[in-house]
C-alpha cells in the first residue's frame, strides 16, 4: 500500500470491521475496544519504571511534555530550554547523566513507534501534546524489547489517551505573558464499533529575551515561536479480541533564536498502523513511515549581523515496523519473541556566507543511510512471589552511502566507506515480593546505539565554536547493573529507591581539539553511578509525588585533558516535587518545584552553568457544566536559568531559559 493510501484507512476500516464476525462466527458478541497495546509483562517492575499519570499530564504550567518529563529526576535534554526557545536539533533526550551531544540516548516511543528524527536523532517534543496522552512510562537503563537498539540510557513510552479518557468534544484557549496564545481542540466520536479522535493545537508567542541584557546588540530579538500540530487516530475492531489502530500526525514549528533573521523550521508528517490481538496467541504488529524536514539560519554576532549559514533543507525519511508474538507457554510464563527494523535516510543542504560581504562562499551537501534489523526474545517467569525476567537481542546494522560535498573555495568531495556489523544485547532482572508492603529487585543489562547521520556527516557552528562531524564513529555500547526496593508502608504511600552503575563505552561526545574547535569523537567510556529516589502519596484531597537523582558521572579518556571530568551537560543533583489538592468535582490546585544543580557547557569545564530552582503552579476552577477556568504560572520565582555559556576570544555568549510566564484561559468539554 502506498503511503498516500494510509489516509483512507480511517474511512475504510470501520465499515470493514463491522462486517467481521467474532471468533465464534457470531456478529452479536460484545466487542471491547481499548486502543492500547498488549499489557505490560509481569517483570516490568524489575527495571524500576516510573509512570506519569494523565492527571499530571493535564496539569502542566508550560503545557510541554519535556517539562513534565523532568518530574522523573535524571531526565534531561541536551540543554535546559524547552521547545519554545531551544534549537529543535538540540532536543535530544537522555537519562542517568550519561551526557549527550544533542542526539537522543533514550528511546522515545509513541504507541510503540520511535519518535526520534531520522537524521538528527532529536525528539519533536512540540508535536507530543500532553492532553493527547494517557500516560508516560520512563524506564532508566538499557532496553532489549522492540526497537531496543536505541535505548542505551532508557526508554520513554508514551501512550495515546483511551476512549474513556477523551470527551466527545473539548477545547482550550489560553492567553499568556508576552502576547502568547495557546489554542487546542479535539473531537472524539464513536465510529462503528470503535472510535475516531481528531485533535489540533496551535501556539505562538512574541517570546522572551534569551540574551542577557549586557550582551544584547541591535540585532538581538526575543525568542518568538509559532507552531501547530494535528493528530488523527482511529481504533476499529476486527473481532472480539483483535483491533486495528491508525495514527497520523503532522506538525510545523517555527522559532527565532537570539538574532533577527536567525529562524529555524521543523516539520513532519508521520503515519502508523498497528494490529493488536489479545487472543490465545497474542500479537502486536505495527508499521510506520516518517517524513521530516529541518532548516536553520545562523546570523553573525558581529556588525553588520549578516547571515553566515543557511541550512536551507534537511529532508529525511524513517520507515520501520515490528512483529511481536506472545505464544501460549503456560500460566507462569509470558514469552515475547519478535523482529523489528528501522531504516533512516537523509540529506543536508546548506550554504555558507561571508559575514563581511554577504556573498555565498560554499554550498554543502551531505547525507547517508542507516538500517537496523533486530530479533528479540524475552521471558517472564512467575514463581509465587518471585518474578524472573530475561531477554536477548541480535541486531544487524548497516551505515551506507555516506558522503560530504562542498562546492566553493576550496571545493571538497568525499564518499565514505559502507560499514556493517552485528551487535548483541541482553538484560535480566528479578523482582521479589517480600510481603504486601515490600518488594526488592535487581537487574543487569547491555545495549547499543548507532551514531546518527547528523553525528556522522554534518558539521555545525554555534558561535564562536565549530564542531566537526566524524564519518568513522563507532556504535556506543552500554553495560549496567542496578538494585532497588519498593515500599508501601501505608495505604496510599509508595516509596522507591534504586542504586545503579552504568558504563557507556565508545561514548560519542563533542571533544575539544583546538581553540573554538570541537569534533564528534568516541571517547573510551562514560561511567555513571548514583541513586534514584521516588515517592508518592495521597491523603484525602491532597497528593504528593517527588523524585530525586544523585548521579556521579565521569569520562574515562586517558591522555586527554577531560579525563576524569564529568561529561558536558550533566548535573550531579536533580529533584522534582509536585503537590496537588482537589475537591471532588471542585477546584484543583497543584504546584511543582524543579531543581537542577550546576553543570558544565563543555568537556573541559571552562564554562559553568549554575544550578536553578523553579516553581510552577496550575489552578483549575469549574465555573459551569463542562467549563473550567485555568490559571498557570511558570517559573514564579522568576529564577534566572542559564541554558548555554561559551567563552570565546570576543567575550562570553550566554542564553537564558524561560522567565516568569503567566497564563489565563478557559477549557470546555462535552
Amino acid at each position: 500500500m502506498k503511503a498516500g493510501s494510509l489516509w483512507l484507512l480511517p474511512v475504510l476500516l470501520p465499515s470493514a470491521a463491522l462486517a467481521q464476525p467474532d471468533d465464534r462466527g457470531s456478529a452479536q458478541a460484545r466487542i471491547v475496544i481499548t486502543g492500547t497495546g498488549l499489557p505490560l509483562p509481569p517483570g516490568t517492575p524489575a527495571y524500576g519504571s516510573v509512570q506519569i499519570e494523565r492527571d499530571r499530564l493535564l496539569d502542566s504550567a508550560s503545557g510541554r511534555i519535556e517539562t513534565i518529563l523532568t518530574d522523573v529526576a535524571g531526565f534531561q535534554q541536551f540543554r535546559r530550554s524547552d521547545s519554545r526557545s531551544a534549537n529543535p536539533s538540540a532536543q535530544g533526550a537522555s537519562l542517568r547523566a550519561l551526557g549527550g551531544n544533542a542526539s537522543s540516548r533514550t528511546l522515545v516511543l509513541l504507541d510503540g513507534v520511535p519518535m526520534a528524527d531520522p537524521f538528527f536523532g532529536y525528539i519533536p517534543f512540540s508535536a507530543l501534546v500532553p492532553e493527547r496522552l494517557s500516560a508516560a512510562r520512563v524506564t532508566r537503563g538499557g532496553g532489549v524489547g522492540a526497537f531496543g537498539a536505541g535505548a542505551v540510557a532508557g526508554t520513554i513510552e508514551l501512550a495515546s489517551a483511551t476512549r474513556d479518557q477523551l470527551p466527545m468534544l473539548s477545547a482550550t484557549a489560553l492567553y499568556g505573558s508576552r502576547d502568547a496564545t495557546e489554542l487546542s481542540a479535539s473531537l472524539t466520536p464513536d465510529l462503528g464499533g470503535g472510535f475516531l479522535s481528531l485533535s489540533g493545537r496551535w501556539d505562538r508567542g512574541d517570546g522572551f529575551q534569551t540574551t542577557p541584557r549586557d550582551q544584547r546588540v541591535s540585532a538581538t530579538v526575543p525568542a518568538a515561536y509559532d507552531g501547530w500540530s494535528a493528530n488523527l487516530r482511529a481504533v476499529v475492531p476486527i473481532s472480539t479480541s483483535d483491533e486495528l489502530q491508525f495514527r497520523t500526525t503532522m506538525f510545523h514549528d517555527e522559532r527565532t533564536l537570539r538574532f533577527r533573521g536567525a529562524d529555524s523550521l521543523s516539520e513532519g508528517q508521520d503515519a502508523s498502523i498497528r494490529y493488536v490481538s489479545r487472543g490465545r496467541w497474542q500479537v502486536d504488529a505495527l508499521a510506520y513511515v516518517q517524513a521530516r524536514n529541518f532548516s536553520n539560519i545562523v546570523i553573525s554576532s558581529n556588525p553588520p549581523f549578516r547571515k553566515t549559514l543557511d541550512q536551507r533543507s534537511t529532508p529525511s525519511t524513517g520507515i520501520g515496523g515490528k512483529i511481536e508474538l506472545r505464544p501460549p507457554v503456560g500460566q507462569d510464563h509470558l514469552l515475547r519473541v519478535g523482529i523489528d527494523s528501522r531504516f533512516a535516510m537523509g540529506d543536508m543542504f546548506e550554504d555558507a556566507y561571508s559575514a563581511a560581504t554577504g556573498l555565498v562562499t560554499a554550498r554543502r551537501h551531505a547525507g547517508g543511510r542507516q538500517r537496523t534489523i533486530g530479533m528479540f526474545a524475552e521471558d517472564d517467569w512467575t514463581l509465587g512471589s518471585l518474578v524472573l525476567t530475561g531477554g536477548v537481542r541480535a541486531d544487524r546494522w548497516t551505515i551506507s552511502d555516506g558522503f560530504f560535498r562542498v562546492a566553493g573555495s576550496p571545493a571538497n568531495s568525499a564518499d565514505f566507506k559502507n560499514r556493517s556489523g552485528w551487535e548483541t544485547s541482553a538484560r535480566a532482572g528479578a523482582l521479589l515480593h517480600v510481603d504486601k508492603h515490600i518488594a526488592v529487585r535487581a537487574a543487569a543489562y547491555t545495549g547499543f546505539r548507532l551514531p546518527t547521520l547528523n553525528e556522522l556527516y554534518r558539521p555545525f557552528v554555534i558561535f564562536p565554536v565549530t564542531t566537526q562531524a566524524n564519518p568513522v564513529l563507532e556504535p556506543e555500547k552500554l553495560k549496567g547493573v542496578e538494585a532497588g526496593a519498593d515500599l508501601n508502608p501505608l495505604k496510599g504511600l509508595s516509596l522507591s529507591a534504586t542504586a545503579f552503575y552504568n558504563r557507556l563505552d565508545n561514548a560519542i561526545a563533542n571533544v575539544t581539539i583546538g581553540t573554538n574547535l570541537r569534533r564528534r569523537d568516541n571517547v573510551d567510556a562514560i561511567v555513571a553511578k548514583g541513586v534514584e529516589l521516588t515517592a508518592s502519596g495521597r491523603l484525602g484531597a491532597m497528593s504528593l509525588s517527588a523524585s530525586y537523582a544523585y548521579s556521579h558521572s565521569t569520562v574515562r579518556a586517558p591522555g586527554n585533558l577531560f579525563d576524569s571530568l564529568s561529561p558536558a551537560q550533566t548535573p550531579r543533583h536533580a529533584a522534582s516535587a509536585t503537590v496537588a489538592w482537589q475537591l471532588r468535582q471542585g477546584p484543583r490546585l497543584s504546584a511543582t518545584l524543579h531543581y537542577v544543580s550546576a553543570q558544565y557547557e563543555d568537556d573541559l569545564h571552562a564554562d559553568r552553568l549554575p544550578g536553578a530552582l523553579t516553581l510552577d503552579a496550575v489552578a483549575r476552577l469549574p465555573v459551569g457544566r463542562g467549563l473550567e477556568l485555568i490559571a498557570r504560572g511558570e517559573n514564579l520565582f522568576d529564577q534566572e536559568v542559564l541554558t548555554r555559556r561559551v567563552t570565546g576570544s570576543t567575550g562570553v555568549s550566554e542564553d537564558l531559559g524561560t522567565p516568569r510566564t503567566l497564563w489565563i484561559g478557559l477549557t470546555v468539554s462535552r
Side-chain angles (χ1 to χ4, degrees), residues 27-296:
Q28 302 302 317
R30 182 172 180 265
I31 297 176
V32 178
I33 289 297
T34 66
T36 63
L38 295 177
L40 293 171
T44 300
Y47 301 105
S49 298
V50 178
Q51 182 152 311
I52 302 174
E53 303 294 348
R54 181 167 170 81
D55 284 350
R56 172 63 182 128
L57 295 173
L58 295 177
D59 273 351
S60 165
S62 67
R64 305 278 160 170
I65 187 65
E66 64 270 29
T67 303
I68 301 170
L69 289 172
T70 59
D71 284 6
V72 180
F75 168 83
Q76 65 181 110
Q77 299 178 85
F78 183 55
R79 290 196 169 88
R80 299 170 177 175
S81 305
D82 66 26
S83 53
R84 292 167 292 189
S85 61
N87 187 298
S89 65
Q91 291 198 271
S94 190
L95 294 160
R96 286 195 166 160
L98 287 173
N101 55 5
S103 296
S104 287
R105 287 194 167 116
T106 299
L107 175 65
V108 179
L109 302 171
L110 174 58
D111 297 332
V113 177
M115 285 289 102
D117 183 87
F119 185 90
F120 291 94
Y122 72 84
I123 308 300
F125 284 115
S126 62
L128 302 176
V129 180
E131 56 260 34
R132 296 175 188 160
L133 303 176
S134 172
R137 176 178 292 274
V138 180
T139 303
R140 294 166 286 202
V144 166
F147 304 117
V152 292
T155 305
I156 299 173
E157 299 167 90
L158 307 176
S160 291
T162 56
R163 179 65 187 92
D164 60 304
Q165 295 172 326
L166 297 169
M168 172 67 176
L169 174 66
S170 67
T172 301
L174 291 154
Y175 182 78
S177 303
R178 297 172 291 278
D179 199 26
T181 56
E182 180 184 310
L183 302 175
S184 62
S186 68
L187 177 65
T188 309
D190 293 328
L191 187 63
F195 69 90
L196 182 72
S197 183
L198 176 63
S199 60
R201 175 166 162 173
W202 171 58
D203 50 11
R204 61 153 308 280
D206 292 343
F208 60 92
Q209 288 283 0
T210 60
T211 309
R213 187 175 298 276
D214 61 353
Q215 297 176 29
R216 295 174 193 169
V217 295
S218 60
T220 302
V221 295
Y225 64 96
D226 192 339
W228 59 265
S229 69
N231 189 79
L232 175 66
R233 187 164 186 258
V235 180
V236 295
I238 300 175
S239 70
T240 56
S241 60
D242 301 354
E243 66 185 44
L244 281 176
Q245 303 170 13
F246 170 86
R247 180 180 57 80
T248 183
T249 301
M250 297 183 292
F251 65 91
H252 181 97
D253 190 343
E254 300 179 33
R255 307 178 198 177
T256 298
L257 304 178
R258 196 176 180 93
F259 297 119
R260 185 179 297 108
D263 302 325
S264 69
L265 167 66
S266 60
E267 59 185 355
Q269 302 85 38
D270 296 1
S272 66
I273 187 167
R274 186 182 197 183
Y275 167 71
V276 178
S277 175
R278 298 177 178 83
R280 189 165 179 268
W281 278 76
Q282 296 185 346
V283 180
D284 188 346
L286 69 84
Y288 70 86
V289 60
Q290 297 164 330
R292 305 280 180 84
N293 202 355
F294 173 79
S295 62
N296 185 56

Side-chain angles (χ1 to χ4, degrees), residues 80 574-577 592-598 610-616 634-642 658:
R80 299 170 177 175
S576 176
T592 301
L593 274 171
H594 287 301
Y595 171 73
V596 61
S597 64
L613 176 69
T614 59
L615 173 67
D616 296 342
E634 303 177 60
N635 192 5
L636 291 176
F637 294 153
D638 203 21
Q639 170 80 36
E640 184 175 273
V641 180
L642 202 61
T658 306

Side-chain angles (χ1 to χ4, degrees), residues 261-346:
D263 302 325
S264 69
L265 167 66
S266 60
E267 59 185 355
Q269 302 85 38
D270 296 1
S272 66
I273 187 167
R274 186 182 197 183
Y275 167 71
V276 178
S277 175
R278 298 177 178 83
R280 189 165 179 268
W281 278 76
Q282 296 185 346
V283 180
D284 188 346
L286 69 84
Y288 70 86
V289 60
Q290 297 164 330
R292 305 280 180 84
N293 202 355
F294 173 79
S295 62
N296 185 56
I297 294 175
V298 178
I299 301 295
S300 168
S301 61
N302 297 314
F305 307 110
R306 286 196 174 109
K307 176 168 58 177
T308 60
L309 182 69
D310 184 356
Q311 189 180 343
R312 50 192 168 83
S313 184
T314 316
S316 62
T317 302
I319 301 173
K322 76 161 187 177
I323 298 176
E324 176 184 324
L325 302 178
R326 297 185 182 184
V329 291
Q331 185 176 355
D332 297 333
H333 286 271
L334 194 155
L335 176 63
R336 305 164 60 205
V337 295
I339 184 169
D340 60 65
S341 180
R342 301 171 71 181
F343 170 78
M345 62 178 294

Side-chain angles (χ1 to χ4, degrees), residues 271-441:
S272 66
I273 187 167
R274 186 182 197 183
Y275 167 71
V276 178
S277 175
R278 298 177 178 83
R280 189 165 179 268
W281 278 76
Q282 296 185 346
V283 180
D284 188 346
L286 69 84
Y288 70 86
V289 60
Q290 297 164 330
R292 305 280 180 84
N293 202 355
F294 173 79
S295 62
N296 185 56
I297 294 175
V298 178
I299 301 295
S300 168
S301 61
N302 297 314
F305 307 110
R306 286 196 174 109
K307 176 168 58 177
T308 60
L309 182 69
D310 184 356
Q311 189 180 343
R312 50 192 168 83
S313 184
T314 316
S316 62
T317 302
I319 301 173
K322 76 161 187 177
I323 298 176
E324 176 184 324
L325 302 178
R326 297 185 182 184
V329 291
Q331 185 176 355
D332 297 333
H333 286 271
L334 194 155
L335 176 63
R336 305 164 60 205
V337 295
I339 184 169
D340 60 65
S341 180
R342 301 171 71 181
F343 170 78
M345 62 178 294
D347 293 81
M348 174 207 73
F349 300 88
E350 65 179 27
D351 300 332
Y353 290 78
S354 166
T357 66
L359 300 177
V360 175
T361 59
R363 300 190 187 277
R364 305 183 187 116
H365 181 201
R369 299 172 181 240
Q370 288 182 329
R371 178 168 47 241
T372 59
I373 300 177
M375 297 170 287
F376 63 92
E378 191 160 22
D379 184 59
D380 292 47
W381 187 12
T382 302
L383 298 165
S385 59
L386 175 65
V387 180
L388 301 176
T389 177
V392 293
R393 275 189 68 95
D395 285 275
R396 175 68 174 177
W397 60 266
T398 60
I399 298 174
S400 62
D401 301 330
F403 67 92
F404 182 77
R405 314 209 191 292
V406 180
S409 181
N412 184 26
S413 179
D415 293 287
F416 305 112
K417 184 178 178 180
N418 295 346
R419 294 184 285 155
S420 61
W422 282 93
E423 296 290 343
T424 57
S425 314
R427 71 175 180 178
L431 174 69
L432 175 63
H433 295 277
V434 178
D435 58 32
K436 65 179 181 179
H437 301 295
I438 302 174
V440 294
R441 50 187 164 77

Side-chain angles (χ1 to χ4, degrees), residues 551-570:
S551 305
H552 186 274
S553 185
T554 56
V555 178
R556 303 286 176 85
N560 291 280
L561 293 175
F562 52 86
D563 181 44
S564 299
L565 299 181
S566 62
Q569 307 293 345
T570 54

